[in-house]
Amino acid sequence: MAIKGNLVVGQSGGPTVVINQSLVGVVEEALLHADIQGIYGSRNGLEGTMREDFIEMRKQSRSTLDDVAETPSASLGSCRFKPKEDDCRKIFEIFAKHNVRYFFYIGGNDSALSTGIIHNIAKEKNYELNVFHVPKTIDNDLLVTDHCPGYGSAAKYVAQAFMGNDLDNRALKGVKIDVCMGRNAGWLTAASALARTRADDGPHLIYFPERRYTLVQILEDIEKVYLANGRVSVAVSEGTPDLDGYVFLESDRIRAELKDLKMESIVGVMDASGRVEEESGGAKKDAFGHTQLSGTGALADFLAAATKIHMFRKTGKKIRCRADTLGYAQRSFAGVVSPSDALEARECGRAAVRAAVTTEHTSGSIILRRHSSTFGKYLCDCEVAPLEDVSGVNFPKGMKQYRPMDDKFIAVWGNDVTSEFIEWARPLLGPLPTKGLLEDYPIK
Amino acid sequence: MAIKGNLVVGQSGGPTVVINQSLVGVVEEALLHADIQGIYGSRNGLEGTMREDFIEMRKQSRSTLDDVAETPSASLGSCRFKPKEDDCRKIFEIFAKHNVRYFFYIGGNDSALSTGIIHNIAKEKNYELNVFHVPKTIDNDLLVTDHCPGYGSAAKYVAQAFMGNDLDNRALKGVKIDVCMGRNAGWLTAASALARTRADDGPHLIYFPERRYTLVQILEDIEKVYLANGRVSVAVSEGTPDLDGYVFLESDRIRAELKDLKMESIVGVMDASGRVEEESGGAKKDAFGHTQLSGTGALADFLAAATKIHMFRKTGKKIRCRADTLGYAQRSFAGVVSPSDALEARECGRAAVRAAVTTEHTSGSIILRRHSSTFGKYLCDCEVAPLEDVSGVNFPKGMKQYRPMDDKFIAVWGNDVTSEFIEWARPLLGPLPTKGLLEDYPIK
């Protein structure tokens, strides 16, 4: 609710190409409300707050803000810092010292969690602090919201990459595997299907973290499509379960076999040490206890090698097998932005400030609610959800604190999306590039 | 010269996002000349010609041609086929049988070579055949021409990827290494510098195939920039000499060391088998005798691991080190196209047909000649160069048959481009995305 005081805004977690839209949304809306005095940007999220490292946002010119809004990655700097209870108390003390009455944290579900802890401390101290979480993640795995700002643009990048991949694979036939980000949710990998326009367009196979596959299953799928179609484009989520285990357990065998077949120079095989902890057999965790999935080409290289061997065994031919790991470009490539994603990210920032200055809420997470209109036109607006519902902090133990893909969006056979997914996701990307293929008029 | 007969056009080698512009350029110019009768597209380059697999280009609608021109990758299909003398004789027979009097081959220097062999056979048989090579390669390593159609758009992709990378690296500081394509020439890797606008923008270090570095040198460069700047973005060409050897020789040591330091889970280490032939100690060759450099994440993963260890030894800290291999997106990502590249690719196709119907030439390679105007405005037009000069077939043994980066484009210290390179390359990309950073107004 409206109380005179200062505002702090911060950005957290992996960047997106529209996270600065949300930042500028917070700032430009804050400029409209007389109760909000200083507008402080906290550098590197709450890490900056801990060391009182703030910059003045009121002094930024309109043209700076306009340019920053269109610029990928977190302009205030980001962090991978998950404050403990003690850190949150220190952050609260700093807020109180600076008469901060408004705090906006743009990030994923860990940011919602940190925001909630700080809010509780303020309540306990009887200090009026309006705290709001502004959603952001390319993984699209936040609870409650229809989808997450950042997803549409990352999905557009992935769709355009697969469009190019598919055309490349048409021109030079073979097996092409691409590993996509998304942690334990398949949303971003599923976006690989969104540029398909013809029945034979790739990706022809999509593997999701939400389903389990054996390596043999995947290789047989690839073989089947290749034999029918003469080529295959495959999308694999970095979080697809068991695959890390295969990389760990089977790299030596694959390497030895490649050597036997004198194919060792054709594709690389990763040692598993990059992705799997030998001691525990489990994968490495990051600061938040999440499994670290990105950052190496291990899975892609392993799959290309395993496919190469499988296809040689089945066909007697050395089939062209290539794999790419799409990498950081998915979250920060400059110049591929979904217009609706940019707009919604901006609007989420503004909506958070509007919610904070009303009497209805002193905390919450901004969510996007989708409305279906009679004309099937896509329409979303912003609402406020309780922080606890978004952070999942009060969930019963064992319940997922993130949102996996809905069952209805994954084909029953597990290696493709459904048309419902296409319908749901397509409006989030905006226009895709032109695609034309020559008509087949053979000459006798 | 003008003679009544049919035309064959084909596409060869790794695709680009504008190779279809050249195809459509050939077709639309051919439609204007009465002597040209059938306009046949040869599927998968000369592979299709060998099996008489042609499609009728006259029947393609204007809108199909317009869409195809804007579509990445080779719409006729491509090939990695380098015809031998016997194959060329067979191709000539097929041309003669179909009364083909015009042949256009869109590709790299191997295509120029094949085209030249076919032309010589026709001359020897006293058969009038107009054969022209239309240049294409993202590597920009063709001789004679100022630059190659395909390069500008790939360079734009790389520049935008590094712009995003740099902003990502600003937000979450650490070491980020990106491996770029380009075979034995550094042109595409050099493009990583083209989105820099501020003194501290990355990439901060660029490693070229045209220079030699020891691994220690690279690691010390990275350390120096990191210590001065708090972060580093590094561009490495896949063709940088010796690095493959390091991957081969040092992977086991790096892996063991990571394990000792209990950092093995943080970044992956590739086994060298993906990139180096054990027997010869040399790298794997493709069908053209070229070293196969792309297609695995080995080099990137190795460099990230080696950097991690080096930085830990020097600073005692586990610094965030990540590496990506930019992959096929560099040559086929849909939606990132340089307008001047698209225009020039189209124009090269048209110029080839115009050259073929004049009396001046019966063979040649289209090149781009750059003119400097008094206003410093960028201006290129098409000329015809002898096929032998472009294919390098008559070069003395040992002389490079491709064009490495000019010395004046590489900084004397070997790990950056010069401002001359920026000036030379910048017009080839067209507009780059907006980039804005917040101004530093600290709060006391």
Side-chain angles (χ1 to χ4, degrees):
Chain A
M1 57 182 282
I3 179 172
K4 273 210 184 320
N6 296 321
L7 176 155
V8 166
V9 57
Q11 297 171 302
S12 172
T16 78
V17 299
V18 298
I19 185 172
N20 287 333
Q21 291 280 1
S22 296
L23 171 66
V24 171
V26 166
V27 173
E28 67 187 1
E29 183 70 34
L31 288 168
L32 304 177
H33 297 278
D35 288 325
I36 296 171
Q37 297 170 322
I39 305 176
Y40 304 160
S42 180
R43 277 192 207 276
N44 300 104
L46 286 173
E47 264 179 20
T49 302
M50 294 279 286
R51 49 173 201 263
E52 297 176 65
D53 187 1
F54 300 117
I55 63 171
E56 178 55 88
M57 301 299 284
R58 278 191 183 272
K59 289 191 185 164
Q60 308 294 332
S61 70
R62 184 69 246 182
S63 75
T64 297
L65 291 177
D66 287 344
D67 288 351
V68 164
E70 290 184 31
T71 301
S73 187
S75 203
L76 281 173
S78 190
C79 65
R80 292 281 188 197
F81 168 58
K82 186 177 187 173
K84 300 201 178 67
E85 178 78 21
D86 272 3
D87 300 320
C88 288
R89 290 195 179 274
K90 186 172 170 196
I91 290 162
F92 169 75
E93 295 304 331
I94 291 165
F95 280 172
K97 172 179 156 193
H98 288 272
N99 192 33
V100 172
R101 298 294 181 162
Y102 301 91
F103 172 51
F104 301 93
Y105 209 22
I106 310 166
N109 63 350
D110 292 312
S111 304
L113 185 63
S114 310
T115 309
I117 299 172
I118 296 166
H119 186 246
N120 288 338
I121 295 169
K123 269 206 297 201
E124 167 199 315
K125 303 268 187 186
N126 220 0
Y127 177 93
E128 190 181 325
L129 181 64
N130 297 280
V131 298
F132 285 82
H133 166 246
V134 182
K136 170 259 17 161
T137 171
I138 62 164
D139 299 340
N140 200 45
D141 61 352
L142 291 182
L143 296 162
V144 192
T145 187
D146 176 75
H147 61 278
C148 305
Y151 173 67
S153 299
K156 187 174 163 71
Y157 178 89
V158 168
Q160 292 183 196
F162 272 86
M163 180 174 154
N165 258 320
D166 181 56
L167 290 159
D168 199 303
N169 186 247
R170 272 179 194 276
L172 288 169
K173 295 182 195 301
V175 180
K176 178 73 199 298
I177 299 165
D178 286 86
V179 175
C180 304
M181 283 184 170
R183 292 186 169 275
N184 300 309
W187 300 102
L188 197 55
T189 307
S192 60
L194 294 173
R196 295 197 297 215
T197 51
R198 301 194 178 208
D200 65 341
D201 276 355
H204 309 96
L205 297 166
I206 308 177
Y207 297 97
F208 304 94
E210 289 82 0
R211 297 287 179 270
R212 307 195 74 139
Y213 317 90
T214 64
L215 182 60
V216 170
Q217 238 175 308
I218 294 176
L219 297 176
E220 286 180 352
D221 286 351
I222 292 175
E223 178 198 345
K224 204 156 61 179
V225 178
Y226 183 86
L227 294 180
N229 197 34
R231 66 184 191 90
V232 201
S233 160
V234 185
V236 181
S237 169
E238 62 178 4
T240 306
D242 308 325
L243 293 186
D244 265 12
Y246 283 114
V247 176
F248 178 58
L249 294 170
E250 306 215 13
S251 278
D252 286 343
R253 180 183 67 75
I254 290 279
R255 199 154 44 224
E257 218 165 323
L258 276 180
K259 202 169 169 179
D260 277 357
L261 296 171
K262 296 200 185 311
M263 297 201 298
E264 55 186 324
S265 314
I266 296 167
V267 280
V269 190
M270 271 297 298
D271 181 80
S273 62
R275 302 180 61 86
V276 184
E277 255 173 20
E278 256 186 73
E279 296 77 12
S280 65
K284 169 77 184 174
K285 313 280 183 182
D286 71 8
F288 292 109
H290 298 149
T291 302
Q292 186 190 310
L293 301 161
S294 310
T296 83
L299 178 57
D301 288 344
F302 174 80
L303 288 174
T307 304
K308 191 98 203 161
I309 291 174
H310 179 86
M311 294 302 289
F312 183 72
R313 278 215 214 102
K314 298 292 177 158
T315 67
K317 285 184 204 149
K318 293 186 179 178
I319 309 283
R320 202 183 153 74
C321 296
R322 293 284 186 279
D324 279 326
T325 305
L326 295 191
Y328 277 25
Q330 292 166 95
R331 71 184 203 194
S332 58
F333 187 82
V336 173
V337 185
S338 152
S340 63
D341 188 30
L343 202 73
E344 288 172 354
R346 184 77 151 249
E347 205 39 41
C348 283
R350 301 192 67 148
V353 176
R354 283 197 303 267
V357 295
T358 60
T359 50
E360 208 181 328
H361 308 279
T362 58
S363 77
S365 174
I366 305 304
I367 59 152
L368 291 163
R369 166 102 45 209
R370 191 188 296 223
H371 303 276
S372 36
S373 86
T374 38
F375 302 105
K377 211 170 128 74
Y378 167 77
L379 186 70
C380 258
D381 58 25
C382 295
E383 294 184 8
V384 179
L387 279 172
E388 309 77 59
D389 293 2
V390 173
S391 67
V393 66
N394 293 334
F395 279 21
K397 224 185 139 148
M399 207 169 140
K400 285 188 176 108
Q401 290 181 5
Y402 67 94
R403 182 181 167 203
M405 275 184 80
D406 304 18
D407 279 340
K408 66 177 177 187
F409 289 159
I410 301 179
V412 282
W413 48 93
N415 56 20
D416 203 351
V417 296
T418 59
S419 58
E420 269 179 286
F421 171 75
I422 305 278
E423 243 172 85
W424 176 88
R426 192 58 192 81
L428 310 181
L429 275 60
L432 290 173
T434 304
K435 178 166 63 176
L437 295 178
L438 292 169
E439 297 299 325
D440 187 18
Y441 298 117
I443 287 166
K444 282 142 253 285
Chain B
M1 59 182 281
I3 177 174
K4 272 207 186 324
N6 297 320
L7 175 155
V8 166
V9 57
Q11 296 171 302
S12 172
T16 79
V17 300
V18 298
I19 184 173
N20 287 332
Q21 291 281 1
S22 297
L23 171 66
V24 171
V26 167
V27 173
E28 67 186 1
E29 184 70 34
L31 289 168
L32 305 176
H33 298 279
D35 289 326
I36 296 171
Q37 297 170 321
I39 304 175
Y40 304 160
S42 180
R43 278 192 206 276
N44 301 102
L46 286 173
E47 264 179 19
T49 303
M50 294 280 284
R51 49 173 201 264
E52 296 177 66
D53 186 1
F54 300 117
I55 64 172
E56 177 57 86
M57 301 299 284
R58 278 192 183 271
K59 288 191 185 164
Q60 309 293 332
S61 70
R62 185 69 245 180
S63 75
T64 295
L65 291 177
D66 286 344
D67 287 350
V68 164
E70 288 184 33
T71 301
S73 186
S75 202
L76 281 173
S78 190
C79 65
R80 293 281 187 198
F81 168 60
K82 187 176 187 173
K84 301 202 177 63
E85 178 78 22
D86 273 2
D87 299 319
C88 289
R89 289 195 180 276
K90 185 171 170 198
I91 290 162
F92 169 75
E93 295 305 330
I94 291 165
F95 281 172
K97 173 180 155 193
H98 288 271
N99 192 34
V100 172
R101 298 294 182 165
Y102 300 92
F103 172 51
F104 300 94
Y105 210 21
I106 311 166
N109 63 350
D110 293 311
S111 304
L113 186 63
S114 310
T115 310
I117 299 170
I118 296 166
H119 187 245
N120 289 337
I121 296 170
K123 268 206 298 202
E124 168 200 314
K125 303 269 187 183
N126 220 0
Y127 177 95
E128 189 181 326
L129 181 64
N130 296 281
V131 298
F132 285 82
H133 166 245
V134 182
K136 171 262 10 164
T137 172
I138 64 165
D139 299 340
N140 202 44
D141 61 352
L142 291 181
L143 295 162
V144 192
T145 187
D146 176 75
H147 61 279
C148 304
Y151 173 65
S153 299
K156 187 175 165 71
Y157 178 89
V158 168
Q160 293 184 196
F162 272 86
M163 180 174 155
N165 259 320
D166 182 55
L167 290 158
D168 199 303
N169 187 247
R170 272 178 194 276
L172 288 170
K173 295 184 195 301
V175 180
K176 177 74 199 297
I177 299 164
D178 286 86
V179 175
C180 304
M181 284 183 170
R183 292 186 168 276
N184 300 309
W187 300 102
L188 198 54
T189 307
S192 61
L194 294 173
R196 295 196 297 216
T197 52
R198 300 195 178 208
D200 65 341
D201 277 355
H204 309 97
L205 296 166
I206 308 177
Y207 296 98
F208 305 94
E210 288 82 358
R211 297 288 178 270
R212 308 195 73 140
Y213 317 91
T214 64
L215 182 60
V216 169
Q217 238 176 307
I218 294 177
L219 297 176
E220 285 180 351
D221 286 352
I222 291 175
E223 176 198 346
K224 204 157 58 180
V225 178
Y226 182 86
L227 293 180
N229 197 35
R231 66 183 191 91
V232 201
S233 160
V234 185
V236 181
S237 170
E238 61 177 5
T240 307
D242 308 325
L243 293 186
D244 264 12
Y246 283 112
V247 176
F248 178 57
L249 293 170
E250 305 214 13
S251 278
D252 286 343
R253 179 183 68 74
I254 290 278
R255 198 153 46 222
E257 218 165 320
L258 275 180
K259 203 169 167 179
D260 278 357
L261 296 171
K262 297 203 186 307
M263 298 201 297
E264 55 186 323
S265 313
I266 295 166
V267 279
V269 191
M270 271 298 298
D271 182 80
S273 62
R275 301 180 61 84
V276 184
E277 256 174 20
E278 254 186 74
E279 295 78 11
S280 66
K284 169 76 185 177
K285 313 281 184 183
D286 72 7
F288 292 109
H290 298 147
T291 302
Q292 185 191 310
L293 300 162
S294 310
T296 83
L299 179 57
D301 288 343
F302 173 81
L303 288 174
T307 304
K308 189 97 204 162
I309 292 175
H310 179 86
M311 294 302 290
F312 182 73
R313 279 216 213 100
K314 296 292 176 158
T315 68
K317 285 185 204 147
K318 293 186 179 179
I319 309 283
R320 199 183 156 74
C321 296
R322 294 282 187 278
D324 280 325
T325 305
L326 294 191
Y328 277 25
Q330 292 165 96
R331 72 184 202 193
S332 58
F333 187 83
V336 173
V337 184
S338 152
S340 63
D341 188 30
L343 203 74
E344 288 172 356
R346 183 78 151 249
E347 204 42 39
C348 283
R350 300 193 66 148
V353 177
R354 284 197 302 268
V357 296
T358 60
T359 51
E360 208 180 329
H361 309 280
T362 58
S363 76
S365 175
I366 305 303
I367 59 152
L368 291 162
R369 166 104 43 211
R370 189 187 298 223
H371 304 276
S372 36
S373 86
T374 38
F375 303 104
K377 210 170 130 70
Y378 168 77
L379 187 69
C380 257
D381 57 26
C382 295
E383 293 184 8
V384 180
L387 279 173
E388 310 76 59
D389 292 2
V390 174
S391 68
V393 66
N394 292 335
F395 280 20
K397 224 184 139 145
M399 206 168 142
K400 285 189 177 104
Q401 289 180 5
Y402 67 94
R403 183 181 166 204
M405 274 184 81
D406 303 18
D407 279 339
K408 65 177 178 190
F409 289 159
I410 301 179
V412 282
W413 46 95
N415 56 19
D416 203 351
V417 297
T418 59
S419 57
E420 268 178 286
F421 171 75
I422 305 278
E423 240 171 88
W424 176 87
R426 191 60 192 80
L428 310 181
L429 274 61
L432 290 173
T434 305
K435 177 167 61 176
L437 296 178
L438 292 169
E439 296 299 326
D440 187 15
Y441 300 118
I443 287 165
K444 281 138 256 282

